[in-house]
Amino acid sequence: MIYGRETERVATATARLAREVVRGQLLRDGWAVLHASAVVHEGRTILTFGQKGAGKTTTALALAAQGGLGLLANDRVFVLANDHGGVDVLPWPSAAALGLGLLDGLGWSDTVRERLERGETLHPTQDGRVTKALLAGRREPLWEDGKELKTQVWPNQFPDWFGIPLATHGEAAALTFPRIEQDAEPALEEGVVRELGYGDFMSGETEDRYPDVFELARVDGGGSAEARREVAHLLADLPLHSVVLGWDVAANADFLAKLTGCADRIG
């Protein structure tokens, strides 16, 4: 039982505990956690990797918004080697951080402002200054000390607010490693070879944000070393694309759809 006087804080604590229960069970069952966004097309999952700001969310939302692909996750996923030599992928639901510029590029700025004006709310972790900027109609990025302040979107708000379908599972089919440049034309990066590395997996150092005082997980926060090795070996055999993307969401989506074999959804 969880008790408290403030509804939001009690709800947040309850959700975190429930999430830890599920995460712990999956990790004990052999799943690992990848630092990647993911979209699904007819069961085929396109995984996108990179550090913060590389373009994981931009890549996933470009394909989901323009082509109707199912959004599986924007930042991390559970992965497990399956019985026929593939890698199964599950979402790890969490709030998605979208910069004001990306919101504008996706054509969602007016929708967000209208929803906020009607009294609806975004994720409670969102900085109040972002909410004020959205209500004021600001579309340029909002920064503080070199860090971009972003809109925090609940997973259910993607279909409810923006018409983005959510996927529940898939099997890994291709890997992309993007780099964002404002005026770039979407293209493959010549001479750039990127491979999946240890840093592309989450670990206890990055995932154990809340002390496991109730022993709900009882394992490393990113999965066992054996699980990570097996998944990495299987993913290495899939098509891998290092790409540069610009700020034109439609152009990015068209290029990525052709590259990853999802062009029928875009075209």
Side-chain angles (χ1 to χ4, degrees):
M1 302 296 292
I2 299 176
Y3 296 92
R5 294 177 181 274
E6 299 178 35
T7 301
E8 185 175 289
R9 295 184 67 181
V10 170
T12 300
T14 304
R16 286 173 177 168
L17 286 170
R19 193 166 68 170
E20 290 304 291
V21 170
V22 174
R23 180 168 73 102
Q25 185 62 61
L26 287 170
L27 295 176
R28 292 193 299 276
D29 287 344
W31 293 78
V33 184
L34 278 175
H35 188 201
S37 69
V39 291
V40 179
H41 171 54
E42 297 180 350
R44 299 174 66 252
T45 301
I46 312 303
L47 294 166
T48 302
F49 298 87
Q51 297 304 309
K52 183 178 294 187
K56 295 189 301 298
T57 300
T58 297
T59 299
L61 292 181
L63 285 168
Q66 296 293 318
L69 275 68
L71 177 64
L72 191 68
N74 73 288
D75 189 61
R76 62 196 67 192
V77 292
F78 285 99
V79 285
L80 176 71
N82 58 38
D83 294 336
H84 54 272
V87 175
D88 290 330
V89 187
L90 293 178
W92 182 230
S94 62
L98 279 60
L100 299 184
L102 178 56
L103 272 181
D104 183 42
L106 290 163
W108 294 350
S109 297
D110 290 338
T111 298
V112 172
R113 186 181 65 220
E114 290 166 5
R115 292 276 186 160
L116 292 175
E117 288 174 343
R118 295 202 314 238
E120 298 184 59
T121 59
L122 291 155
H123 196 275
T125 59
Q126 178 170 294
D127 191 299
R129 289 168 292 181
V130 175
T131 303
K132 290 180 180 179
L134 291 166
L135 286 168
R138 176 168 176 158
R139 298 174 185 242
E140 302 79 24
L142 188 63
W143 299 88
E144 180 185 56
D145 298 329
K147 178 183 178 181
E148 186 175 4
L149 304 179
K150 297 184 177 183
T151 310
Q152 302 291 328
V153 180
W154 290 99
N156 66 291
Q157 288 174 327
F158 283 107
D160 293 348
W161 289 25
F162 311 124
I164 298 295
L166 296 181
T168 57
H169 66 280
E171 182 172 319
L175 284 61
T176 61
F177 294 87
R179 179 172 60 83
I180 304 293
E181 286 188 8
Q182 180 174 353
D183 299 320
E185 291 290 331
L188 284 169
E189 289 211 274
E190 297 293 337
V192 175
V193 179
R194 173 72 201 276
E195 297 179 351
L196 197 67
Y198 179 81
D200 294 308
F201 287 86
M202 308 306 288
S203 67
E205 295 177 357
T206 55
E207 286 299 273
D208 294 336
R209 292 174 293 173
Y210 312 111
D212 192 20
V213 294
F214 299 113
E215 297 186 347
L216 301 175
R218 305 194 299 277
V219 291
D220 181 87
S224 69
E226 180 181 356
R228 293 195 293 265
R229 283 195 299 269
E230 187 173 13
V231 166
H233 174 73
L234 293 171
L235 292 180
D237 291 332
L238 297 178
L240 187 155
H241 311 290
S242 293
V243 300
V244 59
L245 303 174
W247 283 15
D248 186 326
V249 173
N252 289 341
D254 182 65
F255 167 75
L256 290 166
K258 293 175 181 176
L259 183 69
T260 58
C262 304
D264 58 306
R265 295 291 299 183
I266 304 290

